[in-house]
Amino acid sequence: MHRRQLLRSAGLAVALIAGAATAAQADTLDKIKKDGVVVMANGGAYPPFGYVENGTMVGFDIDLGNEVARRLGVQPKWEKIDFSGLIPALNSKRVDMLVTAMTWTADRAQRITFSTPYYNSGIAGGAKPAAHIVKAGDIAGKVVAVQIGSAGERFVRDLGTAKEVKTYNDFLLAFADVEAGRADVVVNTLPTVRYNAARRPSKLAVSETWDKRDVGINTRMDDARLLEAVNAILADLKREGFLDKLDAKWFQ
């Protein structure tokens, strides 16, 4: 009898451990479907991908995220988080996914997953025409303005030729410092530099693209089913021309 009780207790312990493991690995996609809400994060300071206008988040990424939520059959809930805090917010489960023009890097890919690309871009610079910033080598010895945690910052630091790297939480503040002469060149992905250069009175000259970058939606490393669902939706959006329409709306 004693042995039987021990076996029963051992079986119960195994069941409890298995149940705890299952709970710890609760599927995010199932949770989203059950709650009827997907929590998405965006930096909110990176026009035209995502920014605040009249107190509301707008942009390419916001339109994209809202459509992804619609096709998942749930409501979107947006969190505006400084770019440097986006990956910690995702991995701490504060949010379910990032839809924030995150470009793929090897370092980021070790911490979060990337969907199939929804935008192809590259690093470029914006400067006053007299600065003659055309190639990546032209930023050597210059004061370079970048957004903290961005692909532009990583590119400039890896290049290692700038006289000074000035960092900003908000991309437009970096842009404005170049306009004001407090920095020589602002570096980020081409669409964002080009979009803002065309819409601001200073009309900074935009360089050629210095490399190629893929932009994707991000989930946690253990959220394989959610990533699979997002990739299926992105494939449909590409096939249906939805992504081309977003490009025309926000970049042309």
Side-chain angles (χ1 to χ4, degrees):
M1 179 65 97
H2 181 65
R3 183 169 181 270
R4 186 177 299 168
Q5 287 177 334
L6 286 174
L7 289 173
R8 186 179 301 160
S9 297
L12 179 61
V14 170
L16 289 173
I17 292 170
T22 300
Q25 297 171 4
D27 187 88
T28 300
L29 180 59
D30 288 340
K31 179 181 180 298
I32 289 170
K33 297 278 192 177
K34 179 182 177 182
D35 294 345
V37 175
V38 56
V39 183
M40 302 177 173
N42 184 281
Y46 195 53
F49 282 103
Y51 60 105
V52 177
E53 184 175 80
N54 299 323
T56 302
M57 294 266 284
V58 297
F60 184 110
D61 284 335
I62 310 306
D63 287 352
L64 174 61
N66 288 342
E67 183 63 17
V68 169
R70 188 185 75 80
R71 296 192 183 214
L72 286 172
V74 300
Q75 292 296 314
K77 179 182 177 183
W78 287 97
E79 294 275 353
K80 180 180 177 295
I81 300 171
D82 283 347
F83 196 85
S84 60
L86 285 166
I87 292 177
L90 177 63
N91 283 332
S92 68
K93 299 190 177 182
R94 173 178 169 184
V95 300
D96 300 315
M97 66 174 72
L98 307 180
V99 188
T100 187
M102 186 77 74
T103 55
W104 185 97
T105 67
D107 175 65
R108 289 171 180 166
Q110 292 179 353
R111 295 180 287 162
I112 56 175
T113 63
F114 281 79
S115 70
T116 54
Y118 66 82
Y119 206 94
N120 302 111
S121 183
I123 299 296
K128 293 180 179 180
H132 300 296
I133 304 294
V134 178
K135 301 181 183 302
D138 294 336
I139 71 173
K142 305 292 186 183
V143 177
V144 184
V146 295
Q147 185 180 25
I148 292 175
S150 68
E153 180 187 11
R154 176 50 53 199
F155 180 89
V156 172
R157 294 197 186 280
D158 286 347
L159 203 60
T161 60
K163 175 183 178 182
E164 179 185 355
V165 181
K166 299 183 70 173
T167 58
Y168 308 77
N169 280 323
D170 188 321
F171 170 75
L172 289 180
L173 294 178
F175 201 98
D177 259 13
V178 177
E179 293 176 311
R182 291 185 288 268
D184 299 311
V185 54
V186 58
V187 175
N188 214 303
T189 53
L190 175 64
T192 299
V193 177
R194 184 172 58 197
Y195 173 89
N196 289 283
R199 286 161 176 78
R200 294 173 70 92
S202 62
K203 303 294 183 188
L204 297 185
V206 181
S207 75
E208 62 187 41
T209 304
W210 297 334
D211 69 357
K212 293 188 180 297
R213 301 281 169 135
D214 289 330
V215 174
I217 291 174
N218 310 103
T219 62
R220 288 182 285 276
M221 299 295 285
D222 56 355
D223 280 336
R225 288 186 63 236
L226 178 57
L227 182 65
E228 182 180 2
V230 168
N231 280 336
I233 291 171
L234 288 175
D236 288 342
L237 295 181
K238 182 177 181 179
R239 184 179 65 253
E240 296 166 13
F242 183 88
L243 294 180
D244 289 336
K245 290 177 182 177
L246 283 190
D247 185 76
K249 175 182 178 180
W250 290 105
F251 291 101
Q252 297 178 19

